[in-house]
Amino acid sequence: MFLIPASAASAAPGRVRRGRLTRRGRFRHWRRSRPFWGGLLVTAGGAAVALAPLAPLPLIFQQGVAGVSGYAVGLLMVAVGVLSWAQPAQRVFFGLTAVLLSLFSFPASNFGGFGVGMLLGLTGGALLTAWIPGGSADRAE
Amino acid sequence: MSAPAPPSDGVPPAEPGRTGWRRFAVVLLAALAAAAAMAFWTARGGVAASLAVSGHVFKVRADRLEGTGFAQYPDTAVTADGEAHPVALTVIDSAELDDLCQSALIDTPVGQATFLVRAGGDGRPVRAEHMVVDMRQLTGDAEFGDIEIGRDASTLANDSGRTGEPGGFALQGRTVEITGLRQRAYSVNAGTFTLTGLELEVKRGDHECF
């Protein structure tokens, strides 16, 4: 997007005549109108946390809360990442929730998916919190 | 020239959202500071971590294990590939381990890597509660207190509530002490694992504990 001069933006690939958008243009519009990368990183981090404990499920359920919480934290992170796309307006809440869940994943599940899931979640959560929608009053910040 | 395109056909203006990098930095730095504090307190023994690793056989080495509430019986573990393996299912209600080393070889897209955890050095042992191990092999010098060998596996009593089939062979001890512990296992689950002096490393190549 940095390669295209601002004056050429309306003629950028993806836009066709009569204001309709191609498939790629629609995806780009969708991507730009919500905190896409933040949500993606949080979702990936949640997947890493949930997939790290490969122990058989019955054994994990046997552990009770401690065993299940690893999966719960990971799946909640995935849910927060996906919901941040569906409801960009709640980005600060989702972002801070993602940060707290990522921190909690460290003691709850294999050091937060061997650290990878926690770091993805923290970065994604910070991105969610810091996202500013296009055309909003915050733009002048 | 640079005026935004007027909305048309019900499509809102494709003005991209952006990231406030200053706010991003503030949130991320605060979060990383909290993560560092947590890692530090975990290493100091202040935060108990939960560990549930499996899928491959991995190795555990400890200079000494001292535990209460020990039970063991034959069982099968189903690994990630769906295969069932015979194991000695081992339950220890509460254990302390000196100089713990735990390693697993992982296949990564860039070749073999060793996931290595070391903890419990300097006379500050690792503590584990409600530990359940799918064990394949164990070596070491063991001493049991109040041991019952040949107890029916369905009558075992332990905090984790693990029992085997009626008529199955099992052993149960009130206390256990193993020195020079070397163990291969399919999985170790602990309700809480307090890792003092934690060192966590992912290294390229084979750097297993033994």
Side-chain angles (χ1 to χ4, degrees):
Chain A
M1 60 190 248
F2 300 109
L3 299 175
I4 301 163
S7 57
S10 58
R15 278 223 171 245
V16 295
R17 259 185 273 166
R18 285 176 296 163
R20 292 184 56 200
L21 298 171
T22 63
R23 181 183 293 241
R24 216 177 110 205
R26 276 205 306 274
F27 174 64
R28 189 170 57 186
H29 172 77
W30 181 86
R31 179 161 57 74
R32 285 176 168 182
S33 58
R34 63 209 68 235
F36 176 73
W37 295 107
L40 190 69
L41 289 185
V42 171
T43 307
V49 170
L51 293 179
L54 295 168
L57 268 180
L59 193 58
I60 282 170
F61 286 129
Q62 201 78 56
Q63 291 293 323
V65 174
V68 174
S69 68
Y71 279 104
V73 171
L75 293 179
L76 276 174
M77 283 169 71
V78 171
V80 165
V82 171
L83 279 173
S84 70
W85 290 343
Q87 301 177 359
Q90 305 296 326
R91 61 194 177 275
V92 175
F93 171 73
F94 285 138
L96 294 179
T97 306
V99 166
L100 292 177
L101 282 171
S102 303
L103 288 174
F104 184 62
S105 76
F106 186 81
S109 176
N110 293 320
F111 316 111
F114 304 149
V116 176
M118 180 178 71
L119 290 179
L120 285 175
L122 292 181
T123 312
L127 276 174
L128 285 183
T129 311
W131 191 75
I132 300 160
S136 79
D138 300 14
R139 262 182 103 70
E141 187 192 38
Chain B
M1 282 291 272
S2 60
S8 54
D9 291 61
V11 177
E15 199 176 351
R18 62 187 186 91
T19 302
W21 290 109
R22 190 186 296 177
R23 189 189 280 185
F24 170 76
V26 169
V27 175
L28 187 65
L29 286 178
L32 287 178
M38 194 122 63
F40 177 77
W41 284 111
T42 304
R44 288 279 304 270
V47 177
S50 171
L51 215 55
V53 193
S54 183
H56 299 280
V57 174
F58 63 96
K59 296 176 180 175
V60 177
R61 193 195 67 203
D63 283 359
R64 197 183 57 96
L65 179 151
E66 210 178 279
T68 57
F70 174 90
Q72 197 170 51
Y73 60 92
D75 196 21
T76 50
V78 181
T79 46
D81 55 13
E83 215 176 312
H85 306 268
V87 294
L89 192 136
T90 305
V91 183
I92 301 178
D93 287 342
S94 169
E96 285 193 354
L97 298 108
D98 283 331
D99 276 318
L100 173 76
C101 173
Q102 179 176 304
S103 66
L105 266 185
I106 330 165
D107 284 322
T108 70
V110 294
Q112 267 191 338
T114 310
F115 176 70
L116 203 58
V117 175
R118 273 188 296 252
D122 300 328
R124 295 185 304 147
V126 168
R127 286 192 306 279
E129 306 289 328
H130 296 203
M131 190 156 69
V132 181
V133 184
D134 279 340
M135 194 183 287
R136 204 180 77 169
Q137 191 190 39
L138 170 74
T139 59
D141 302 321
E143 191 184 313
F144 297 97
D146 296 338
I147 184 87
E148 300 166 287
I149 301 175
R151 181 169 168 152
D152 190 293
S154 65
T155 67
L156 296 176
N158 52 71
D159 291 351
S160 300
R162 299 289 301 201
T163 56
E165 297 292 314
F169 169 84
L171 50 112
Q172 177 161 311
R174 192 175 52 80
T175 62
V176 57
E177 186 178 343
I178 304 172
T179 46
L181 171 96
R182 285 179 176 209
Q183 168 191 292
R184 288 166 209 263
Y186 285 103
S187 76
V188 170
N189 275 245
T192 55
F193 224 154
T194 308
L195 294 151
T196 44
L198 170 72
E199 281 177 57
L200 191 156
E201 246 182 312
V202 181
K203 275 190 188 172
R204 256 193 191 188
D206 184 343
H207 302 278
E208 292 223 78
C209 297
F210 62 90

